[in-house]
Each structure stands twice: as structure tokens, then as C-alpha cells.
Amino acid sequence: MSTTVGLISLGCAKNLIDSEVMMGHLAEAGMALTSEAELADVLIVNTCSFIDMAKQESIDAVFGAVNARSEDPDRARQKIIVAGCLSQRFAKDLPGIMPEVDAFIGLDQITKVAPIIENLLGKKNAAEVAKTEGPAATEDPRDFVTLKPKYVPDYTTPRFRLTPEHFAYVKIAEGCNHTCTFCIIPKIRGMHRSRTQESVVKEVEALVKSGVKEINLISQDTTYFGMDNWEGERPKPNSPVNSERGESLSTLLREINKIEGDFWVRLLYTHPAHWSDELIRTIAECDKVAKYVDIPLQHISDRMLTAMKRVTTGGYIRDLLRRMRAGIPGLGIRTTFIVGFPGETEEDFEELLEFIREFRFERAGVFQYSKEEGTRAYKMDGHLHHMTRKSRWSRAMAELQKVAGEVNQEQVGKKVRVLVEEKGVGRTEWDAPEIDGSVHVDENIPVGNFADVTIGDWRGYDLVAAR
């Protein structure tokens, strides 16, 4: 009988693609996939460790699997593999902390997961599961993690999609070259490395031909796409998207826009420092590019932006947003902010609240600062009391909720195009999957289809189509 493998996938869409790649390689190797953990010969927990909350969720999932195995005699032989950001971030520590886990794999091992499983189950294939190029994290035989990952997917990479048939994520690059003081991602996922434009376009073409209606382009910094392959002077932390220097996000979007079919492509995780007038024009001119931009701004105070090392200023951000809104008719902007960062004063925070009121973002969220070991901010002076962080989060969220209600009220009476997500529920161009709101629509509209509806009402963050 074939080996049966289960998967628990945690964290963001970038991690979900890693899970899909692992499942694709397992299926190609002839292994059976199951959604029921208790039936699996091998259970993979693909973890996240971006902030404390995600880290705790991952640890709970791992020990939950370990405890379930120990309490169920039928699962006594089940092997447990910890993958993803937690094993990559704490590569040197986890084998000692989690002796019950059978294997640890990092980002460079997701394409080797099948032979690693075979090795766990007794097949001697040491050559196939040998560590990839680069220093090993530990000498523990259960630990396959290598430091400084280099892997990036390609359109030929086997992949078992875990999203509904009508939408998919496409990872256009891996890693990040920014050194934001609050963020641990570059230390986990390595330096930015783009796929080729040809590779991305071929993958999108195949997805559209298979019936996918929405393509979500993702990476840690989508605006940096192609820049790492430019010839000549190395791009700076604030170099603009510029197709004259080589492949860029602009050239990629224009090529995707040429693909035949009824679909839209959504842009996620853009860094404000790399935006350019060329990119603004590209989005405005490409009819298949959703008029939606995800651009995490993090703050507006110059003091905070400098402390966060965001290579932007409040003046730059305000000017950019005005140019984006003027240059892209019907644009919906999603952003996120961090409150309670070390050294944030009440004056800094009040400036952020006023900024929220002034720019009235169509979609937005707020995070409390999370003190993450290994980041530059971890050792900064001026860390705020947790109740101060919580209070500022509540106040910022109240402002965002007020704006959200006003924005939704303005949609009443307008005709919008929606992609039907599930029976009776759709999403507009301004609504990314699993992040933003939705539209309640006629239950007779087929799932996975586009439909034009008129907004009749709204409830909280969601809209209601007129009957």
C-alpha cells in the first residue's frame, strides 16, 4: 500500500504555496494524501513564526499532533515532520526542544520531502536526502534544515493546489532584501530571489486555461520583482520599478494582461519604497489587473518610519497615495499599520490616527507591535507597556471601522463585478481572498463565476447585493 501523508498548513499564502509544492511532490512520488490526520502514516506540520501569536499556534499544532499520536494506539507508528518558518527560524534549537518530532525540514527541503519521508519509513536513500548546498543547522540526523535558503519555485514545479478551483496564488519571488527593524522574515527566508518573467507567465497561462478566474501575485516584496537580476548598478532599498533596467513588476503585469481568458490578477504585498509612476500607469492601463493594491505602510510618523527602517517618509507616502489615486481610477487601497512600536509617542500615534481619517483607506488593518527575538527592534530602548499597545490598537481599529462603514455606505447603489466564492457569497475587485470582506449575492449564481450585481446594503465589513 502507498504511504499516506497528512498536512497541517499554517500561516500566510506564501506558506500555503510551500504546502502545495510539498503535496505536489508527494503525489508525484505516488503517495496518498489525506485531510484526516489520524489516518496519516506521516503528518507534516507546515509552520509559521512571523509573530508571537503565529509562533504559538505552530507550537501548539506540533505538540497537539505529538499528544494525539501518544494517546491513540493506532497512530503509534505515525511519523511527524515539522516544516516551514518555525523550523527554519529556530533550526538550531528545535531538535533539542522537540525530541518527539521525527524530522525537521526547512525551505530548501520542500522539494525533497518525498525521499525524506521514504528515509523515515526505512528506505535507505541517503544520497537523495542529503542536505542541499549550504551550512547545516545541526548535526542531528533528524534535522535536514540548511541555513540561508536559496530555493525558489518554477512553473515546472509539481504543485497540488489547496485553494478552490476559481482562484490561485502565484509566488513570483522568495525572500526579502529589506531590513525592517521589526521583521524576522529575511532571516528566515533569505535574500530576495525573483523567478524569471517567462516562468511566472507560463504558470499563469496554465492556471487560466484550467479555469482559474483570479490570480493573486505574492512574494515578500512584489515590487522588487526582477530587480535582483538587473545588470549594472545594484538596486537600492528605494529603487523604483523601472522596466528600462530589465524585467520588473510592470513588464510582468503587461505580459500577464496579454493572456487570453476572463480573469483578473491581484497584486499583494507591495513595498511603498519601490512604487513608481510607471507602475501606476501600468495598473491603470491593464484591464485584467484588479484595481486593488496591497501596500503595507506600517506608520506615517517620520520618527517611526525611520526607527522601523522603512526607507520612506510621511511626505513621500502622502504624495505617493495621491498619485496612485489620481492615476488609477476606481483604486481600492489595502494597508496595514503597526502601533506600539518602541519609542512611539502619543504624538506619533495621533499623527497616525489623523492620517487614517484623511486618506480613508478602502481596506486596512492594524497590528500591535510584537517583540521578536532576532530583530533589530528587539534590543531597542523604549518598549511600551502591553496595555498601551492594546489601547492604541483599539483606538486605531475604531477609526478604521468608522472609515470602513463610510466606504461601504458609498458603495450602495453602485454596480460592481464580483467573483462568486461560495454559494451566496462573492468578492469584489477590492476584496482579496481570506483577508477582506465579501458581498452577499443571489445563491443561484454559480460558484467560481463572475457576476455583475448592484449593492443594496452593507453589514459590518460586508456588502449586500440588491435582490
Side-chain angles (χ1 to χ4, degrees), residues 221-279:
D221 176 7
T222 51
T223 39
Y224 203 84
F225 173 78
M227 290 189 187
D228 52 319
N229 296 322
W230 286 354
E231 295 183 0
E233 183 182 356
R234 183 178 178 181
K236 298 176 182 178
N238 59 351
S239 290
V241 173
N242 181 3
S243 59
E244 292 181 0
R245 295 198 58 187
E247 292 183 350
S248 70
L249 184 57
S250 288
T251 63
L252 176 63
L253 291 176
R254 290 189 183 278
E255 287 303 308
I256 291 175
N257 199 62
K258 296 176 185 176
I259 297 173
E260 294 184 4
D262 186 18
F263 69 98
W264 63 36
V265 56
R266 186 182 301 279
L267 195 56
L268 299 174
Y269 314 121
T270 72
H271 194 294
H274 300 299
W275 272 80
S276 67
D277 289 339
E278 179 192 340
L279 181 56

Side-chain angles (χ1 to χ4, degrees), residues 77-284:
R77 293 186 179 182
Q78 184 181 76
K79 303 296 184 183
I80 296 174
I81 296 176
V82 175
C85 290
L86 190 73
S87 58
Q88 190 72 51
R89 179 177 178 182
F90 301 104
K92 297 179 180 179
D93 305 316
L94 284 196
I97 296 172
M98 299 177 171
E100 306 91 343
V101 172
D102 299 286
F104 300 89
I105 64 175
L107 302 177
D108 278 351
Q109 288 75 51
I110 63 174
T111 61
K112 295 191 172 188
V113 64
I116 286 173
I117 286 176
E118 291 172 345
N119 192 58
L120 277 180
L121 298 178
K123 181 177 179 180
K124 303 301 180 182
N125 52 1
E128 287 188 69
V129 300
K131 289 181 170 62
T132 53
E133 182 181 352
T138 71
E139 295 302 318
D140 191 308
R142 299 171 299 144
D143 185 12
F144 297 90
V145 179
T146 52
L147 304 178
K148 299 182 179 179
K150 298 179 179 180
Y151 172 73
V152 64
D154 187 67
Y155 76 96
T156 60
T157 301
R159 184 174 166 195
F160 184 91
R161 278 183 44 220
L162 298 170
T163 53
E165 293 182 359
H166 58 274
F167 82 84
Y169 295 104
V170 174
K171 188 185 288 188
I172 65 175
E174 184 59 275
C176 185
N177 284 5
H178 283 279
T179 55
C180 303
T181 55
F182 55 82
C183 185
I184 196 68
I185 293 297
K187 289 190 176 182
I188 298 175
R189 291 190 170 262
M191 298 293 284
H192 181 101
R193 45 207 187 273
S194 300
R195 293 171 59 176
T196 65
Q197 181 169 290
E198 179 187 21
S199 169
V200 177
V201 171
K202 284 186 175 180
E203 181 174 356
V204 173
E205 285 177 334
L207 288 168
V208 171
K209 286 181 181 178
S210 73
V212 171
K213 299 292 186 182
E214 177 180 81
I215 303 294
N216 295 279
L217 300 183
I218 61 172
S219 70
Q220 196 59 36
D221 176 7
T222 51
T223 39
Y224 203 84
F225 173 78
M227 290 189 187
D228 52 319
N229 296 322
W230 286 354
E231 295 183 0
E233 183 182 356
R234 183 178 178 181
K236 298 176 182 178
N238 59 351
S239 290
V241 173
N242 181 3
S243 59
E244 292 181 0
R245 295 198 58 187
E247 292 183 350
S248 70
L249 184 57
S250 288
T251 63
L252 176 63
L253 291 176
R254 290 189 183 278
E255 287 303 308
I256 291 175
N257 199 62
K258 296 176 185 176
I259 297 173
E260 294 184 4
D262 186 18
F263 69 98
W264 63 36
V265 56
R266 186 182 301 279
L267 195 56
L268 299 174
Y269 314 121
T270 72
H271 194 294
H274 300 299
W275 272 80
S276 67
D277 289 339
E278 179 192 340
L279 181 56
I280 292 172
R281 285 195 305 273
T282 298
I283 294 173

Side-chain angles (χ1 to χ4, degrees), residues 3 14 35 51 64 81 86 105-106 149 188 254 301 303-304 329 347 351 360 387 399 420 455:
T3 301
K14 295 182 287 291
S35 59
I51 57 177
I81 296 176
L86 190 73
I105 64 175
I188 298 175
R254 290 189 183 278
S301 159
R303 289 184 64 258
M304 290 296 95
E347 184 180 4
E351 184 179 356
R360 302 177 70 253
M387 290 305 293
E399 291 292 344
V420 181
I455 302 303

Side-chain angles (χ1 to χ4, degrees), residues 325 331-334 359-364 403-404 407 430:
R325 287 224 165 110
L331 177 65
I333 298 177
R334 155 162 281 283
F359 279 87
R360 302 177 70 253
F361 296 95
E362 287 75 16
R363 304 289 184 266
V403 171
V407 169
W430 287 359

